[in-house]
Amino acid sequence: MEKKETMRRIVLVPVPAQGHVTPMMQLGRALNLKGFSITVVQVQFDLVSSSYSQQFPGFQFVTLPKSLPKYEVEGLGQIEFMMMLNKTSEASFKDCIGQLFLQHGNDIDCIIYDEFMYFCGYVAQECKLPSVIFSTQSATNHVSHHEKQEKVVENMYPLRYKDLLPSGFGPVEPVLKIRVEVVNKRTASAVIFNTTSCLESLSVSWLKQELGIEVYALGPLHVTPSPPSSLPEEDKGCIEWLNKQKSRSVIYISVGTVAQMETKEILEMAWGLCNSNQPFLWVIRPGSILGSEGIEALPNEVSKIISERGYIVERAPQIEVLRHPAVGGFWSHCGWNSTLESIVEGVPLICRPFQSEQNVNAAYIVSVWEAGIQLEGEVERGKVERAVKRLIVDEEGTGMRERALVLKEKLKASLRSGGSSYNALDEFVNYLKTK
Ligand code: UDP
């Protein structure tokens, strides 16, 4: 039965990293459009810069005092950092919720926190507030963390057991440890996934059956009308360059906001891309080449061939790029945001994952959706050339594009009135009203 007349406030707590902040802000936007007031609590970093307050007018931004000194953060890997953050942020978050109660009276409906910010669940419990987990990764990735993994793999053919193993973070133990924290220490009453049933039907049904709490698959959230929540400045010059290229001829390359590559791999990629004879748009972030600041570290001959056939940016307006008619394929590390953004535009992929959740996404793209190919083993120029030709030139690539376009249509339908994601958002809003 509906308990509350008016829409109220939701507190959002993202992980301080772009790939997590962006979908959280999109979720905030979707809920704001449904009438909720939004408070975003930032922990440890000032990622939500002042431009965010302009992009999301009416949102309240609160920054917790830094709980980890800079020198301690520098030595930590991603997993250790997250575990330390969870250990050290509880008290200041509790104070913050106390302040919010003073400011807004009792009008806080719920805390929605990134699954990796699990300390929020305890604080919500202590403050007697409902809490909801937001997973910015795929539903299948979540399934793969579950203790009934053997059974899961049986049900998820053609995914293989090795696709689900943690890898790419260094030693396996810390990864398993944080997975246990994320999966077991659950105090939330619901989980939101930035996915939709038509993309991951088996996994979404499995989670609905097994988690024992409400599951809402209401993505892909970046399609909700919302201002771009990109942090560093994007290079729009690449759109003019794309305007001059032939339809479906360009391969767009980006490995997201975190992954790093060795100079040797970059050189092999550069040669392979040039030998493929296809134009390419390549994002090379400052710091994304291990041990160097940027492309100035590359030998002159390589920079020359890159500039003849390619266009390099430090940051691309990715969604605009993927939507551009000149783009024929996406070389991606298969982060979940990039995967969704590519499929929503019907663009097939060359998958080059770096770590475990990206392996799961790549396996899905290649084996389940059949909308891409994976480049395995060492990066060598011959392999790169072949992969680009398979995707952009050969008939095989046409088939992948057709399947990606079919998925695109299904996705759009799921977001329209009556579609599964559209309904899931409404159901979630109703659920909040009755809490
Ligand atoms: N992105 C972008 N421009 C770039 C590189 C990345 O806008 O040049 C955005 C991309 O659209 C996506 C996000 O950064 O929304 C990357 O998230 P993803 O989950 O794919 O990977 P992560 O960075 O978390 O590894």
Side-chain angles (χ1 to χ4, degrees):
M1 209 178 55
E2 193 161 311
K3 210 167 71 183
K4 290 164 191 162
E5 289 296 311
T6 49
M7 297 291 190
R8 308 200 313 163
R9 181 165 299 273
I10 293 175
V11 176
L12 302 179
V13 190
V15 160
Q18 161 107 62
H20 293 256
V21 172
T22 302
M24 185 66 95
M25 295 306 290
Q26 290 158 350
L27 176 65
R29 177 78 181 149
L31 292 170
N32 187 236
L33 287 173
K34 294 282 180 188
F36 289 92
S37 304
I38 304 292
T39 297
V40 182
V41 177
Q42 312 179 73
V43 185
Q44 190 64 21
F45 288 116
D46 185 22
L47 271 170
V48 185
S49 58
S50 56
S51 70
Y52 267 72
S53 0
Q54 286 154 24
Q55 286 178 35
F56 296 89
F59 281 30
Q60 179 188 22
F61 294 97
V62 181
T63 307
L64 297 192
K66 283 199 170 89
S67 62
L68 293 172
K70 200 166 170 240
Y71 67 88
E72 268 192 40
V73 175
E74 274 166 4
L76 297 175
Q78 284 176 58
I79 305 283
E80 289 85 0
F81 168 68
M82 282 315 304
M83 294 192 81
M84 283 290 276
L85 201 57
N86 275 283
K87 269 195 195 135
T88 53
S89 303
E90 206 171 312
S92 57
F93 184 53
K94 203 171 158 195
D95 287 350
C96 162
I97 295 294
Q99 289 296 323
L100 291 175
F101 275 137
L102 288 177
Q103 276 172 28
H104 302 293
N106 274 341
D107 87 346
I108 302 174
D109 260 354
C110 133
I111 298 175
I112 302 181
Y113 62 94
D114 190 293
E115 60 184 328
F116 290 102
M117 303 294 265
Y118 45 86
F119 68 92
C120 299
Y122 306 126
V123 174
Q125 213 171 27
E126 278 183 54
C127 299
K128 303 204 170 17
L129 278 173
S131 65
V132 171
I133 292 171
F134 179 43
S135 173
T136 63
Q137 302 185 336
S138 65
T140 307
N141 184 59
H142 205 86
V143 172
S144 75
H145 295 182
H146 213 273
E147 70 268 22
K148 293 180 188 165
Q149 205 181 54
E150 298 284 354
K151 190 95 201 120
V152 171
V153 176
E154 242 174 64
N155 288 338
M156 291 185 85
Y157 176 83
L159 257 60
R160 301 152 300 178
Y161 191 64
K162 77 167 187 153
D163 296 324
L164 307 180
L165 288 174
S167 62
F169 289 105
V172 167
E173 287 72 26
V175 186
L176 294 177
K177 228 164 139 190
I178 199 164
R179 281 186 173 184
V180 168
E181 297 283 350
V182 169
V183 174
N184 289 352
K185 301 213 168 152
R186 178 162 300 134
T187 50
S189 52
V191 194
I192 297 170
F193 285 97
N194 187 16
T195 190
T196 177
S197 296
C198 72
L199 280 185
E200 300 184 274
S201 61
L202 270 179
S203 306
V204 171
S205 319
W206 194 90
L207 289 167
K208 283 187 174 173
Q209 229 173 47
E210 296 289 331
L211 285 188
I213 53 177
E214 299 293 331
V215 171
Y216 298 97
L218 42 73
L221 282 159
H222 74 273
V223 186
T224 316
S226 137
S229 49
S230 186
L231 301 169
E233 207 175 317
E234 291 165 347
D235 184 337
K236 299 271 185 191
C238 62
I239 300 294
E240 277 163 45
W241 178 83
L242 282 175
N243 289 342
K244 295 186 201 122
Q245 310 304 321
K246 286 197 197 119
S247 168
R248 307 278 174 248
S249 67
V250 175
I251 178 96
Y252 166 61
I253 305 142
S254 164
V255 296
T257 56
V258 182
Q260 292 184 304
M261 295 182 73
E262 311 237 343
T263 309
K264 192 172 138 247
E265 287 178 317
I266 299 273
L267 291 182
E268 288 299 312
M269 269 178 82
W271 280 114
L273 288 165
C274 290
N275 294 343
S276 76
N277 283 329
Q278 294 305 126
F280 55 90
L281 169 59
W282 195 351
V283 178
I284 303 189
R285 301 184 323 268
S288 66
I289 307 178
L290 274 165
S292 90
E293 266 308 296
I295 51 161
E296 53 288 350
L298 299 179
N300 277 347
E301 50 165 351
V302 176
S303 306
K304 193 164 163 274
I305 48 166
I306 290 182
S307 61
E308 272 165 20
R309 196 167 292 284
Y311 193 95
I312 308 279
V313 288
E314 289 189 355
R315 187 163 177 90
Q318 182 159 301
I319 296 175
E320 216 179 317
V321 165
L322 290 168
R323 196 170 289 155
H324 197 286
V327 172
F330 181 10
W331 172 305
S332 173
H333 71 310
C334 305
W336 186 237
N337 293 301
S338 295
T339 303
L340 287 175
E341 288 159 8
S342 202
I343 295 298
V344 164
E345 300 309 329
V347 176
L349 297 108
I350 295 176
C351 305
R352 179 73 188 166
F354 287 76
Q355 38 161 273
S356 44
E357 64 117 352
Q358 297 157 8
N359 286 331
V360 176
N361 301 339
Y364 232 79
I365 292 165
V366 175
S367 309
V368 181
W369 303 333
E370 297 179 282
I373 49 181
Q374 182 158 352
L375 199 131
E376 292 187 81
E378 298 248 313
V379 181
E380 288 159 7
R381 61 191 74 185
K383 277 196 211 169
V384 174
E385 177 187 345
R386 186 76 209 104
V388 173
K389 284 186 176 154
R390 275 175 73 192
L391 198 77
I392 308 268
V393 184
D394 294 356
E395 239 171 71
E396 192 187 359
T398 314
M400 288 179 213
R401 171 168 288 276
E402 279 165 10
R403 286 186 287 277
L405 286 169
V406 170
L407 274 177
K408 171 184 172 166
E409 290 314 314
K410 285 189 183 166
L411 270 174
K412 298 238 150 124
S414 77
L415 291 159
R416 278 196 292 270
S417 172
S420 70
S421 291
Y422 182 98
N423 289 345
L425 179 60
D426 277 351
E427 284 158 21
F428 179 60
V429 169
N430 287 334
Y431 165 81
L432 286 179
K433 285 200 231 167
T434 55
K435 286 286 334 149

